Amino acid sequence: MLESFRTPCSGQFHAMFARLGYVISKYWLWVILAWIVLLFVVGRLAPPWEQVTDDGDFAYLPAEMPSVIGQRLTREAFPQQRAKSEMAIVVARRDGPLDGDDLQIVDLLSQRFYNFLGAAELRRGEQYAADAEQRRAAGETDAAQALDEKAEATFTSARTAFDQALAINETFADALHNRAFVHRYLGRDDKFDEDRQAAAKLDPGLAGKAGLAPTAAGDLPLVDVWSRQTEVFGDKLRSRDKQAQLLVLKLGNEFMETDNVRVLERVEREVERVADQVRGEGKSHLAFGISGSAAVGGDMLRAAAESIKNTELLTTVLVLLILLIVYRAPLLAAIPLLTIVVSLSLSLDALALLTQVDTLPGMGWWDFKVFKTSKIFIVVILFGAGTDFCLFLIARYREELARGSLPSAAVATALDGVGSAIGASALTTILGLSMMFFAEFGKFRNSGPAIGFCLTITLLACLTLAPALLQALGTRLFWPFASEIRAANLEPRSPSRSTRIWQRLAVWIVAYPGRILICSVLLLLPLAGAGVYTDDHVTFDFLSELAPDRTSIQGTSLLKRHFPVGEGGPIVVLANKPDGELVDENFEVPAPALTGILELTVVLNEVPGIHSVRSLYEPLGNPPRRVSIVSSAGRRKVFLREHDLTKAVFLAQSPQHRGDVTRFEVVLQDDPFSQQAMQSFARLNERLQALSQDPASFWQGASFAYTGTTPGIHDLRQVTRIDNWRIRTLVVAAVFVVLLAILRSPVVCCYLIVSVLFSYLVTIGATELFFHWAYGETFQGLDWKVPIFLFVILVAIGEDYNIYLVTRVFEEQQQRGPFAGLRYAIVRTGGIITSCGLIMAGTFVSMTSGSLRGMIELGFALSLGIFLDTFIVRPILVPAFLALRYRLQAWVSLRR
């Protein structure tokens, strides 16, 4: 067992832990009560975890990234363009073109979603009106007037949406009922009564109904709906083979926003409702699908929630089974489990409470976020590390009892013996995770310190609550084997089989350190070489993370059969030319500006990987060409170009940017999430930057910003690549400082750092090869989150085990000499550190129980890395290096 932890800087800590052990053994009841009170108070104050957790990726990119600039410019120049993501409902016929009856099925969906759009606008208008009343009551007349105007405009938009629903089906009672409320807000009481009566006549159930129909109609974050009835763009929603029709839902949510889970489930219910009706009529020839960026985001968040649930359950079961196998005593196994559950519950509540600090007076600068997926890491790390901490403590406690100590003395002595080791072990992991605070990407910057904070609470629980529980139960903990503990003594006895294995390994390492070290490194070197390549070749393809049976995957597959796959997430290019005079005082487009827009449309179409470009010149995305205005095609093109909706979509509306900014929608040939899409976007960006420097171009001096899924992923790739190197450098530096403070040997510290870096490269290389074999042709690379989280966790936890070993080596060498001390330390720490490694690896295995590929890959990699550290790095590579170092020191001393 791991006994004491004596290093040059740890004496003062021993005194501290000795006093702590004495206090806990004497006041154990008060310690337990303190934890209960703390758990209750924080739990009562903290908001529910689900209410404060965020998600999404693009929302946490730095403000200077092009896609963030693009979103900001869109809000300023196109205030009516509020969509941040979309869902596309696909209705396709399997055996030929859609006929009139099939299109009526599509219209059933369209009318319902227009009704939902109107209800959502009505809710927003009511909020603006309420805010206006509050400002008016506060004496802010100008602000109230602005909000009144905003409310009126929003109510008008709501009425337009209800009108569109009724244009499809004039007997749609829900839309009539809801439109009545708009009339009341707009002061048309006669229309209010007329619509209410008509709705009640069509559906008697609506008579006297005070709210919207259906009740939850206004709960979807819809900002627009595009159907086949939509002017200008409706024709583009029909596939060229005439077999499929799109209904596009524009959403105000970012594509990975947590609310998209609810939105996707609601859309699924609506689509399934119509599909059931169709099947009931015997029309089995129609297929329905849901695609689009918001559908992908919703599916990913659902898969993440399933992964969290599975991980929590499997982790708890695995740890409980391991503890029962190790201790064979139910009460003793319950101590670590109870300690971890308390610390986990308190940690999550404390994190939820920390997200509310910015609401306190003077704390507006506070910006702390927690994310749904962070819970997976919190659970597995707390269960793994917390179990390890308790394992060391209980092992020493049993040893003290076996020596004949009373339980109170055994608790104090055990805490004195292992407190410093546990603290140092936790410190490397906490500091390593905390270094993520210096990342530019907001999710990294918040997640790392949050996990480190939770581990700090777990450390405190293991050093206070667990000893108090041990003291409270005494030898009853060991039921039904308490008599065995009491009868045990420290007289020499035959070593166990595992001890003999460690003894044999220790002899070999001390006898042949050079051969063992070289052979081990050479065997692992090919995997490390693969890791060097893999480390910077990862995928950001969100679709590849999802299982084939997910709604968005099936919908995307259906979309691909009939439409360009890029329609699911076009790139929006915002061309900003100061003083560009894109429109005159009558909001007409002058000839030079129109020629410039044609020029840019042509340039974008010529970029490899681009399927089509929608612009003011070609609103429908047809190949750009000049046509005679006297021809029917020319007259239609002029009509579309001058349509109010076309101008609203492609020309800046706000006074600040009017005449300076125009939009282009670029549809890619490839999936917007794919690597090919990233390459096409890079070529597009390079071409536009060159155009802005071309003196012969209308766009000389212009700047270009982008929005959409592909630009967001491109920026995510750029910022995380920089963050990876920054975080790794800081983690290595922080861990090295901790090692140096504990070991006071720069050479040994450097080697320990090199050993875990080598272990990381081997692990990620082996993981890449395994999943390439497992997934076959569908494998595009490891998920982008795997390298950074694997590096931080593996380096920090790997050094934990090195600290346990090396400090014991230094201690034993003071009594037994360099080589005998090394052999003895290998034997004495082998069993306990191996047990800790197995427990930690077991908790990481639970991450593979979910359905997200990224989490499965990370769980596999972390488990493999911990196994590698436990069975290769710590028992072979580190002792072999120490043996070689001592041989060199002995040879140098002899030469002198």
Side-chain angles (χ1 to χ4, degrees):
M1 296 301 172
L2 187 68
E3 294 180 355
S4 56
F5 182 77
R6 310 289 180 187
T7 67
C9 67
S10 62
Q12 56 185 331
F13 295 110
H14 275 280
M16 179 185 72
F17 284 111
R19 289 193 297 271
L20 180 63
Y22 171 78
V23 170
I24 292 174
S25 63
K26 187 174 182 180
Y27 302 105
W28 57 269
L29 180 59
W30 289 105
V31 173
I32 295 174
L33 289 175
W35 276 96
I36 294 174
V37 171
L38 187 62
L39 188 65
F40 175 78
V41 171
V42 175
R44 294 284 292 181
L45 293 176
W49 175 262
E50 295 299 327
Q51 290 184 11
V52 300
T53 49
D54 296 296
D55 230 306
D57 294 315
F58 300 161
Y60 302 98
L61 290 170
E64 67 274 11
M65 300 306 291
S67 63
V68 180
I69 296 173
Q71 291 173 5
R72 188 164 58 246
L73 183 57
T74 298
R75 288 193 299 269
E76 295 173 357
F78 299 89
Q80 78 285 1
Q81 299 289 330
R82 296 167 290 164
K84 297 179 182 177
S85 64
E86 62 184 33
M87 289 188 189
I89 300 173
V90 190
V91 181
R93 181 163 182 156
R94 298 183 176 92
D95 57 355
L98 294 166
D99 59 24
D101 291 339
D102 298 331
L103 293 175
Q104 287 183 2
I105 299 300
V106 180
D107 290 344
L108 282 176
L109 285 167
S110 299
Q111 71 182 39
R112 289 189 64 81
F113 282 104
Y114 275 124
N115 183 49
F116 295 153
L117 171 62
E121 293 283 47
L122 179 59
R123 292 292 190 215
R124 283 189 279 268
E126 290 174 338
Q127 186 60 54
Y128 290 141
D131 292 344
E133 289 299 323
Q134 290 181 356
R135 294 295 181 91
R136 193 172 290 110
E140 301 175 17
T141 307
D142 292 342
Q145 179 65 30
L147 285 168
D148 282 334
E149 293 174 359
K150 209 168 186 179
E152 184 175 357
T154 307
F155 287 136
T156 302
S157 296
R159 183 176 60 189
T160 301
F162 293 132
D163 288 346
Q164 288 171 313
L166 291 166
I168 296 172
N169 178 10
E170 62 183 9
T171 63
F172 187 20
D174 286 355
L176 278 168
H177 173 83
N178 293 337
R179 190 175 67 175
F181 294 106
V182 178
H183 289 317
R184 185 174 63 185
Y185 281 114
L186 294 176
R188 297 294 304 274
D189 290 340
D190 55 330
K191 292 288 188 180
F192 170 78
D193 293 333
E194 181 183 330
D195 279 353
R196 290 274 290 185
Q197 292 171 7
K201 187 176 181 179
L202 290 167
D203 183 358
L206 295 176
K209 183 176 175 63
L212 294 173
T215 303
D219 291 346
L220 288 176
L222 287 168
V223 296
D224 202 359
V225 173
W226 284 10
S227 69
R228 71 189 187 97
Q229 288 81 16
T230 301
E231 293 182 325
V232 180
F233 303 108
D235 291 345
K236 295 299 293 183
L237 302 180
R238 185 79 175 270
S239 64
R240 289 188 177 181
D241 60 12
K242 306 300 182 183
Q243 288 188 242
Q245 182 72 41
L246 284 180
L247 175 63
V248 181
L249 311 179
K250 303 283 187 175
L251 303 175
N253 292 346
E254 194 250 321
F255 94 100
M256 278 289 287
E257 194 164 323
T258 305
D259 186 50
N260 281 346
V261 173
R262 180 188 64 84
V263 174
L264 178 57
E265 290 173 350
R266 179 72 179 278
V267 173
E268 285 174 336
R269 288 196 299 270
E270 292 296 328
V271 172
E272 190 60 31
R273 174 180 171 276
V274 173
D276 287 342
Q277 178 180 335
V278 170
R279 285 191 289 266
E281 296 173 356
K283 298 179 180 178
S284 58
H285 59 277
L286 290 179
F288 296 82
I290 304 173
S291 182
S293 58
V296 174
D299 264 339
M300 289 191 66
L301 290 168
R302 285 198 296 198
E306 294 167 6
S307 296
I308 291 171
K309 183 178 179 181
N310 294 340
T311 299
E312 288 178 334
L313 178 61
L314 186 57
T315 299
T316 303
V317 171
L318 280 174
V319 169
L320 181 60
L321 288 176
I322 292 171
L323 291 172
L324 288 173
I325 292 170
V326 171
Y327 292 129
R328 297 178 300 150
L331 290 177
L332 190 57
I335 297 291
L337 195 60
L338 180 60
T339 301
I340 296 165
V341 168
V342 168
S343 61
L344 176 62
S345 178
L346 181 61
S347 297
L348 295 177
D349 286 339
L351 285 180
L353 202 56
L354 286 174
T355 64
Q356 307 301 302
V357 171
D358 61 322
T359 62
L360 298 176
M363 295 298 293
W365 55 270
W366 181 266
D367 183 26
F368 177 70
K369 308 288 185 184
V370 290
F371 306 97
K372 285 188 179 296
T373 48
S374 297
K375 192 174 183 181
I376 295 177
F377 297 101
I378 292 170
V379 169
V380 296
I381 291 178
L382 263 58
F383 267 89
T387 304
D388 284 357
F389 298 159
C390 289
L391 194 66
F392 279 112
L393 178 66
I394 292 172
R396 185 58 181 270
Y397 177 66
R398 296 178 71 175
E399 192 172 322
E400 294 303 322
L401 288 177
R403 286 194 174 101
S405 300
L406 294 174
S408 58
V411 167
T413 306
L415 194 56
D416 176 33
V418 300
S420 296
I422 293 174
S425 167
L427 186 61
T428 58
T429 307
I430 293 169
L431 280 180
L433 290 165
S434 298
M435 291 301 103
M436 296 180 74
F437 172 77
F438 298 98
E440 291 291 329
F441 183 43
K443 289 189 77 171
F444 287 169
R445 188 171 61 250
N446 286 278
S447 296
I451 301 170
F453 173 78
C454 294
L455 186 57
T456 302
I457 292 177
T458 302
L459 172 65
L460 294 174
C462 292
L463 294 176
T464 56
L465 179 59
L469 293 172
L470 291 176
Q471 176 65 36
L473 293 174
T475 56
R476 292 186 298 273
L477 278 171
F478 302 101
W479 178 85
F481 303 105
S483 58
E484 295 181 18
I485 297 297
R486 275 300 180 193
N489 57 66
L490 297 180
E491 295 178 1
R493 55 181 181 271
S494 300
S496 64
R497 181 178 179 181
S498 63
T499 300
R500 290 196 297 271
I501 292 174
W502 290 113
Q503 288 174 339
R504 192 174 299 114
L505 179 63
V507 170
W508 288 344
I509 288 175
V510 173
Y512 311 105
R515 300 179 201 176
I516 291 175
L517 183 61
I518 292 172
C519 290
S520 300
V521 170
L522 289 177
L523 285 173
L524 297 175
L525 201 56
L527 292 176
V532 172
Y533 170 82
T534 302
D535 190 50
D536 195 42
H537 292 76
V538 294
T539 180
F540 288 76
D541 188 347
F542 291 81
L543 280 176
S544 67
E545 283 207 66
L546 295 170
D549 60 345
R550 292 289 177 180
T551 296
S552 60
I553 298 299
Q554 294 180 341
T556 301
S557 176
L558 183 61
L559 181 73
K560 286 179 179 179
R561 294 177 208 155
H562 304 284
F563 293 92
V565 67
E567 285 284 6
I571 298 171
V572 174
V573 178
L574 296 164
N576 185 3
K577 183 175 174 58
D579 301 322
E581 298 181 354
L582 298 176
V583 296
D584 58 23
E585 61 276 6
N586 298 319
F587 209 63
E588 298 295 332
V589 182
L594 190 61
T595 302
I597 293 172
L598 171 61
E599 176 195 3
L600 190 50
T601 305
V602 171
V603 167
L604 291 172
N605 269 284
E606 291 174 348
V607 174
I610 304 302
H611 177 271
S612 60
V613 179
R614 293 191 283 265
S615 67
L616 181 74
Y617 195 87
E618 291 290 352
L620 299 183
N622 296 320
R625 62 179 183 273
R626 296 183 181 272
V627 294
S628 172
I629 60 173
V630 299
S631 66
S632 59
R635 288 195 300 272
R636 174 166 173 75
K637 180 175 289 190
V638 171
F639 168 76
L640 292 176
R641 187 184 301 153
E642 295 182 351
H643 196 284
D644 289 341
L645 180 58
T646 303
K647 291 182 177 180
V649 169
F650 294 111
L651 294 174
Q653 302 293 300
S654 67
Q656 178 186 358
H657 295 284
R658 188 169 179 168
D660 295 341
V661 179
T662 183
R663 292 173 80 252
F664 298 79
E665 294 182 357
V666 179
V667 179
L668 301 173
Q669 294 176 353
D670 301 294
D671 184 341
F673 295 93
S674 67
Q675 179 64 32
Q676 292 81 4
M678 297 300 107
Q679 295 168 354
S680 297
F681 174 70
R683 289 191 292 266
L684 180 152
N685 182 50
E686 182 180 352
R687 184 69 184 89
L688 292 185
Q689 299 310 315
L691 194 67
S692 69
Q693 304 297 322
D694 185 358
S697 171
F698 175 83
W699 300 101
Q700 183 189 17
S703 61
F704 299 95
Y706 313 95
T707 65
T709 301
T710 305
I713 293 176
H714 180 271
D715 286 351
L716 185 63
R717 176 191 294 272
Q718 295 299 109
V719 73
T720 53
R721 179 174 294 175
I722 297 171
D723 279 346
N724 276 345
W725 287 107
R726 177 186 292 124
I727 292 171
R728 291 175 186 185
T729 302
L730 291 172
V731 167
V732 169
V735 171
F736 180 79
V737 169
V738 174
L739 289 174
L740 195 60
I742 294 171
L743 304 179
R744 302 293 180 88
S745 176
V747 174
V748 173
C749 293
C750 287
Y751 179 79
L752 295 182
I753 292 291
V754 170
S755 70
V756 292
L757 294 179
F758 182 70
S759 172
Y760 163 77
L761 291 175
V762 172
T763 299
I764 200 168
T767 302
E768 164 88 9
L769 294 175
F770 174 80
F771 284 104
H772 192 280
W773 168 80
Y775 293 145
E777 294 182 356
T778 65
F779 182 73
Q780 301 181 32
L782 294 178
D783 182 74
W784 60 279
K785 297 181 291 294
V786 171
I788 184 62
F789 279 104
L790 176 64
F791 184 91
V792 172
I793 296 173
L794 196 59
V795 169
I797 292 178
E799 293 299 4
D800 289 354
Y801 300 149
N802 285 340
I803 288 173
Y804 289 143
L805 170 66
V806 176
T807 52
R808 186 58 182 269
V809 169
F810 288 178
E811 175 191 344
E812 296 300 337
Q813 285 175 339
Q814 294 177 4
Q815 302 176 19
R816 306 170 188 273
F819 295 105
L822 177 60
R823 285 194 298 267
Y824 189 80
I826 293 172
V827 174
R828 296 294 288 174
T829 61
I832 189 68
I833 296 180
T834 301
S835 298
C836 289
L838 290 173
I839 291 172
M840 183 67 77
T843 60
F844 286 132
V845 165
S846 65
M847 294 176 67
T848 64
S849 62
S851 56
L852 281 176
R853 274 194 180 186
M855 284 298 168
I856 294 172
E857 292 167 0
L858 184 55
F860 175 88
L862 286 168
S863 300
L864 177 62
I866 297 299
F867 271 115
L868 190 66
D869 272 338
T870 302
F871 293 103
I872 303 295
V873 176
R874 196 273 312 160
I876 296 177
L877 298 186
V878 173
F881 169 78
L882 293 176
L884 279 175
R885 182 169 180 262
Y886 300 140
R887 283 193 174 191
L888 179 61
Q889 289 175 342
W891 180 79
V892 170
S893 63
L894 287 175
R895 295 279 295 185
R896 291 177 181 173

